[in-house]
Every structure is written in structure tokens, then in C-alpha cells.
Amino acid sequence: MKKTSLALAMALALVGVAHAKTVQVTLTAKEVELPIDNKGTMYRAWTYDGQIPGPVVRVTEGDIVEFTLVNDKTSKNSHSTDFHAARVDVVKEFESIKPGESKKFTFPATYPGTFFYHCGSDPMIQHIARGMFGVIIVDPKDANALPKADREYVLVQSELYPNPDNQADMMAGKWTNTMFNGGIFKYDPVHDPAATRILQAKPGERVRIHFVNAGVNEFSSFHPIAGIWDRVYISGNPKNVIYGAQSFTVGPGDGAAFDIISPVEGANALVSHVMKQALTGAIAILQFSNDADPKAGKGDNIVVR
């Protein structure tokens, strides 16, 4: 019996199949002041763990996610969490909790991909627009289902509504800027000299961008200026692959994984090709350099904070 079990384990390891496990995830809803540009302009945001986007949740297909939401006692509003990677009862698991309360639920991660998570409390449009969103990556159980990425980055697109209390403007789509990861030109020193952060890689490396459009209203046409998407995975699922794409449209509440490889040193500008979006903040410089930071785009550095 022991020999059979050992042989099975070795066989699974050889084909790159991961063992399912239980992953405990805790997020805390916090209402805080955060900068929304490189000058330090503050914004009253609603967040997970006090940051935009919230922490990246990463599991493997087949894992069981044991999730706990804590609504900080200093919050003034009820909050909740809607995982697009979950198949559950929307009323039971995604219910709102009051300040000082906590909520637990469990779900299996049944599909691989790049998924959105967000607050679903009423009015949902306001909770998302104020910053309550993040990404859950479900890696395929077959480690060979996707080509190995040398570096990975998470980018979440969202719109800035200057008065976060004005729900009517949100419903009317009266935004002033489009942001990546909660900042206007956060990774673009070309259009904003005050920007100090960029994405980095070396020529020839495969860079995977886990892209989610938090909206709340606008579609994104995600394009790498001076580059071509080597592969696009719709919803991040390895079975939904497109090759050699110039741009790919991602709707509000949707996500995709984008692979890019540069044969030369230099920069690509990752943008929404909706020009009003790009020129009001949705541009991220991806710099390909032989002396790229070896830690960039790896481990905890897939979100450039």
C-alpha cells in the first residue's frame, strides 16, 4: 500500500499536478484616507486591508478557500465580499456585515483564472468605486497548463469619481480619471514626472499581467504600446487562449491574463486604448532592461505598491 501511494505521488509530481489544500484567507474592511495620485492627494476610500487594490489572494485549482471577512469596528458602513471565483449562495455567503462583525464562508476554487473580488454591499457601485476590490488568482492544478512566467504583475483598472459620496455621478459615469492600482499615472513617469514606480523585466522574459477591470462603468481596451500580446487568456483560464493580439477588451467586473515578451531593451506602455482613459491616468510603463531588479514581479512584488 505504501509503495502504491509513493508511486502515485511521484507520478503526480512528474506531470506537474498540484495537491489540493485548504487555504485560509482573512480580509479586513477598512475605511481610510489614501493618496490617489503621485502628488499625495488624499481620498476617502473604502478598502480591504487599507490598500487599493486589496491583497492578492492566490490559490490553486481544487483548493478549498476558508474565507473570513472582518469589518473593522471603526467603519461607518456595512461591507461584504463577492468572489468571482466562487460558486455559492449570493444571499448567504455574500451577505453584508456591520462594523465590528465578522463573516466566514468556504468555497472550492473550481476553475483556474484571474478573477475579481469586490464588496457587494448596497449600493454596490459606490463600494467598488471607493476602492473595495482586489484580485484572486487561481493557478491551474496542472503546472504545465501555462507557459512559465518569468515575472508577473497585477493591474486593476478603475475610475475615479472625485466626490466619493456622490452616487448619482457614479450612476451617470461622471468620472475624471482612470487609474491602475488606485493611482493616476501611478507607473508612468513619462506623463507625470512625480511618478517613481514602473514595472520591470529583462528582454526575452515572459511577463504575465493579471489584469482586472474594476470599472465601475467603463470597458477597457488593454494594449501594449510598442508590443504585442504573445498570449491572452480570457478570464485567465489556460483553455481560453488567443495568440498574437494587439488589444483585448475587458469589461467591468471581468479579468484576463496577458503574456508579453520583448526581444529588445526598451519600454512598452501598457494602456487602455480608450484614449480618455489612457490620458487621464491608465498608463503603466513596463521597462525591459538587462539590469532589471531581480525581485521585481516575483513573490510579494507582483503588485507594485
Side-chain angles (χ1 to χ4, degrees):
M1 188 69 177
K2 289 183 178 179
K3 290 183 178 180
T4 302
S5 299
L6 179 60
L8 177 60
M10 291 177 65
L12 289 173
L14 286 173
V15 298
V17 177
H19 293 285
K21 58 187 180 299
T22 298
V23 181
Q24 295 182 340
V25 176
T26 300
L27 297 175
T28 301
K30 294 183 177 181
E31 300 172 9
V32 298
E33 297 278 338
L34 289 177
I36 45 84
D37 61 23
N38 298 309
K39 296 178 294 186
T41 303
M42 301 303 287
Y43 186 86
R44 185 63 182 176
W46 298 347
T47 73
Y48 292 104
D49 285 17
Q51 53 192 359
I52 300 176
V56 175
V57 177
R58 192 156 202 173
V59 298
T60 300
E61 178 187 4
D63 285 350
I64 303 298
V65 180
E66 289 187 351
F67 175 68
T68 302
L69 173 66
V70 177
N71 192 355
D72 194 88
K73 63 181 180 181
T74 63
S75 297
K76 298 185 182 300
N77 301 274
S78 295
H79 296 295
S80 61
T81 310
D82 174 342
F83 279 101
H84 284 201
R87 296 191 292 174
V88 293
D89 179 356
V90 65
V91 175
K92 181 181 177 183
E93 278 80 4
F94 292 172
E95 69 177 346
S96 299
I97 58 171
K98 297 177 182 179
E101 294 182 346
S102 63
K103 166 74 179 177
K104 294 185 179 183
F105 64 86
T106 300
F107 66 91
T110 52
Y111 285 93
T114 298
F115 293 97
F116 188 34
Y117 74 77
H118 61 87
C119 184
S121 297
D122 189 49
M124 188 189 299
I125 192 169
Q126 187 178 35
H127 286 252
I128 298 174
R130 294 184 74 140
M132 292 202 76
F133 53 74
V135 175
I136 172 170
I137 300 170
V138 182
D139 292 312
K141 60 185 176 183
D142 179 358
N144 300 314
L146 291 168
K148 182 182 180 301
D150 297 293
R151 300 178 195 252
E152 299 175 283
Y153 292 102
V154 167
L155 286 179
V156 182
Q157 178 174 318
S158 62
E159 299 132 33
L160 175 66
Y161 295 86
N163 182 354
D165 294 318
N166 193 330
Q167 184 185 342
D169 277 0
M170 295 174 186
M171 292 293 289
K174 295 181 179 180
W175 51 271
T176 57
N177 298 84
T178 306
M179 304 180 290
F180 284 156
N181 291 351
I184 300 167
F185 295 123
K186 188 171 185 175
Y187 310 117
D188 183 9
V190 176
H191 290 86
D192 185 353
T196 59
R197 294 160 287 193
I198 59 172
L199 314 185
Q200 300 181 57
K202 292 183 178 182
E205 290 185 327
R206 178 176 295 275
V207 181
R208 182 160 297 141
I209 308 295
H210 296 277
F211 182 82
V212 161
N213 182 5
V216 289
N217 290 309
E218 304 295 337
F219 282 70
S220 176
S221 179
F222 198 43
H223 168 72
I225 297 177
I228 297 173
W229 298 123
D230 181 70
R231 305 182 191 201
V232 178
Y233 300 94
I234 302 169
S235 282
N237 190 316
K239 292 183 179 180
N240 304 332
V241 62
I242 297 171
Y243 297 92
Q246 57 189 313
S247 300
F248 186 78
T249 301
V250 180
D254 203 355
F258 295 80
D259 282 6
I260 188 167
I261 303 168
S262 176
V264 297
E265 284 194 287
N268 293 150
L270 311 183
V271 307
S272 172
H273 218 299
V274 179
M275 285 293 97
K276 184 180 178 181
Q277 297 174 8
L279 297 178
T280 58
I283 302 177
I285 300 301
L286 171 56
Q287 184 72 44
F288 286 93
S289 170
N290 287 320
D291 60 357
D293 183 346
K295 296 181 180 179
K298 300 176 183 180
D300 294 333
N301 297 317
I302 65 173
V303 180
V304 181
R305 297 288 183 185

